[in-house]
Amino acid sequence: ASSYCCRAMKVVLLVAICILCIATFTMAVDCPNARMEMVESIPQHMNITPIETTTLKRWQQLFADAKESIHIISFYWTLLRGAQYPEAQGEVGPMIWEELVAAARRGVKIFIIQSDPGHISEDADTQILVEGGYAQLRTLNLTKYFGAGVQHSKAFVIDGETIYLGSANMDFRSLVQVKELGMVLYGCVPMAEDLLRIFDVLWDTATLEHIPDHWEHRLYALFSYDNPATVILDEDNGKESSVFLSVAPTAFLAGDRAFDLTTIQRTMDSAEKYVDIAVMDYIPAMCYIPEKTYWDDIDRHIRNASFRGVSVRLLISNWTHSMPLMWPYLHSLAALDNVEVKTYVVPPLPDNIVVPFSRVEHTKYMVTEKAAFVDTSNWTGDYFTNTVGMSLTLSSPSAVSRVTAAFERDWYSQYAFSFTD
């Protein structure tokens, strides 16, 4: 009997240890059942298709499915203006706007932080939402704090559990006339909470005359470059990966929040095989101040990657509003070993249809063999010193695979031209 009891106790102890190990493992994974989706906008009349789904379809679904809250960080709003361009599918803008109104009418709380409309456009869309009692709105005037700059981020939090971050503005053109790329992360409440903390930093700042030297602890980052969230995405077959958010400029870093620029540099420096970059503007200079100054905080890391033997490819927009200052710098990169540069041209609409500020490759991302980096900023110095931007970095193999597939599709498409051409 004594021997039986001893064996039984050993079994119970072993089971207890196993349960403890399982519990510890589960606790170590911040998001054990997350799912990721890459969303893209492909301009009308282009002969390419999204890798997964469209921005339009996913935004419609996210807003339609919202049950409790929608937090939106936006640059500007011109969804309703799309009604002026029915021949260019402009009706999709009002459709998205109506989804927000419908969400508000069924009791969903909507909070919006936007840039000062005086810098870019009228704020008719958001004012109608506010006047109708559909949303709460605050406007962030970066000029007040830095003398220049805008709130340039584009991100959502839905019901405190799903996030979107990408290049698309709240603009009908970003849905059907501008090429965009973003990420949706489902079922990761800790990451949603972290993005809400960034939202609250901007929301609080909008009421202040000065940016505080120290942020309240409730606004501190939950995750950073050195302490990312651990997730298991459905697409990765049980493999753990990491994800975190970074922000610019440094004035908005609460706690040990990752700085957007540092994330770019470290991600590039850690690459051993390749670095693929797609961005609208690439200029190693401060471009939006009266006296332009040289700024090599990204450029020297590209050159260093080339020197290490890492393959670097840059896919840069060429459109009506490209800055002439950009081309000499790109020529100097294209002259390096292991560096290739192409420009990407979105063709005009047929039948002489003109939609201002459209038909452009507007994506902002980088992908290496180790990580996918999805950004909201163009790559000039001003975007990291006095303009609010943010990014999402994932080490997920499936994220890397999908973003790489998008880059490869575009690099070898009929719309990409060798820089020497």
Side-chain angles (χ1 to χ4, degrees):
S2 175
S3 175
Y4 174 79
C5 289
C6 185
R7 289 198 301 271
M9 288 179 64
K10 287 182 179 179
V11 171
V12 171
L13 181 60
L14 182 60
V15 171
I17 291 172
C18 290
I19 292 173
L20 181 61
C21 289
I22 292 171
T24 302
F25 173 78
T26 302
M27 289 172 61
V29 178
D30 298 290
C31 302
N33 298 297
R35 183 169 63 88
M36 186 213 72
E37 185 178 42
M38 186 173 72
V39 299
E40 298 177 272
S41 298
I42 306 298
Q44 182 185 19
H45 299 298
M46 287 189 72
N47 189 30
I48 56 174
T49 57
I51 299 298
E52 288 190 80
T53 192
T54 65
T55 309
L56 173 61
K57 179 180 178 180
R58 191 51 60 230
W59 282 13
Q60 283 181 303
Q61 197 66 54
L62 288 174
F63 295 151
D65 290 346
K67 297 176 177 60
E68 297 178 1
S69 62
I70 299 173
H71 291 74
I72 299 175
I73 305 171
S74 58
F75 179 17
Y76 66 92
W77 290 63
T78 51
L79 291 172
L80 294 179
R81 195 182 296 177
Q84 302 173 22
Y85 300 94
E87 72 281 10
Q89 293 186 323
E91 69 277 1
V92 300
M95 284 167 49
I96 292 294
W97 190 88
E98 287 293 344
E99 286 287 1
L100 288 168
V101 172
R105 285 174 174 164
R106 62 177 182 269
V108 176
K109 303 296 183 184
I110 300 176
F111 304 89
I112 300 167
I113 185 78
Q114 67 178 7
S115 191
D116 181 1
H119 288 87
I120 186 69
S121 68
E122 72 275 11
D123 58 349
D125 293 28
T126 49
Q127 284 306 311
I128 296 172
L129 288 173
V130 171
E131 290 168 6
Y134 301 126
Q136 295 183 47
L137 170 72
R138 287 186 183 177
T139 295
L140 195 60
N141 183 348
L142 272 293
T143 302
K144 181 167 66 175
Y145 310 114
F146 303 115
V150 295
Q151 195 306 108
H152 196 258
S153 305
K154 314 94 166 47
F156 313 149
V157 181
I158 310 294
D159 291 337
E161 62 181 20
T162 297
I163 68 173
Y164 162 85
L165 185 148
S167 62
N169 289 302
M170 301 301 289
D171 180 347
F172 75 95
R173 288 163 288 206
S174 288
L175 302 171
V176 286
Q177 297 302 336
V178 172
K179 193 164 174 301
E180 313 277 13
L181 183 143
M183 286 288 189
V184 180
L185 184 61
Y186 302 90
C188 191
V189 172
M191 280 298 296
E193 169 61 24
D194 206 30
L195 184 50
L196 284 173
R197 291 189 177 204
I198 297 173
F199 181 96
D200 286 343
V201 165
L202 303 179
W203 185 259
D204 290 358
T205 302
T207 66
L208 303 175
E209 287 301 315
H210 304 282
I211 298 175
D213 294 330
H214 301 285
W215 295 99
E216 296 178 43
H217 192 271
R218 66 181 176 86
L219 302 174
Y220 277 20
L222 293 176
F223 307 104
S224 65
Y225 190 103
D226 295 313
N227 179 37
T230 303
V231 300
I232 298 177
L233 299 177
D234 289 350
E235 303 89 342
D236 288 336
N237 300 316
K239 180 179 174 61
E240 287 186 19
S241 58
S242 65
V243 58
F244 66 95
L245 294 158
S246 41
V247 171
T250 55
F252 293 103
L253 304 185
D256 62 350
R257 173 75 63 201
F259 179 30
D260 220 15
L261 175 60
T262 304
T263 301
I264 291 172
Q265 294 169 334
R266 293 180 67 173
T267 301
M268 203 177 293
D269 291 348
S270 67
E272 297 177 358
K273 296 179 180 179
Y274 69 91
V275 177
D276 290 335
I277 299 162
V279 67
M280 187 178 80
D281 292 328
Y282 175 83
I283 307 174
M286 307 291 289
C287 297
Y288 298 99
I289 58 176
E291 295 183 7
K292 293 179 173 61
T293 57
Y294 184 60
W295 181 88
D296 69 344
D297 289 30
I298 294 177
D299 200 70
R300 67 176 183 268
H301 290 265
I302 293 177
R303 295 173 187 275
N304 186 44
S306 163
F307 187 80
R308 298 195 324 268
V310 175
S311 170
V312 181
R313 295 186 293 183
L314 295 97
L315 191 59
I316 309 297
S317 298
N318 186 0
W319 71 310
T320 307
H321 301 282
S322 291
M323 297 184 189
L325 179 64
M326 182 162 59
W327 309 125
Y329 291 116
L330 290 174
H331 270 294
S332 71
L333 287 175
L336 298 176
D337 290 340
N338 307 312
V339 177
E340 295 181 83
V341 180
K342 286 187 178 183
T343 60
Y344 195 91
V345 179
V346 176
L349 284 166
D351 303 321
N352 296 317
I353 298 171
V354 177
V355 180
F357 295 99
S358 69
R359 312 304 291 179
V360 58
E361 160 68 273
H362 190 247
T363 62
K364 301 113 174 33
Y365 67 86
M366 170 175 62
V367 61
T368 74
E369 78 279 1
K370 297 179 180 178
F373 170 86
V374 178
D375 203 1
T376 68
S377 296
N378 293 306
W379 284 15
T380 75
D382 316 75
Y383 280 89
F384 303 95
T385 59
N386 56 29
T387 294
V388 178
M390 60 187 65
S391 61
L392 185 71
T393 302
L394 306 102
S395 70
S396 153
S398 61
V400 168
S401 175
R402 278 178 268 192
V403 178
T404 298
F407 186 90
E408 291 276 328
R409 176 201 62 201
D410 294 338
W411 183 262
Y412 292 109
S413 74
Q414 68 195 77
Y415 309 108
F417 297 87
S418 170
F419 194 64
T420 54
D421 295 339

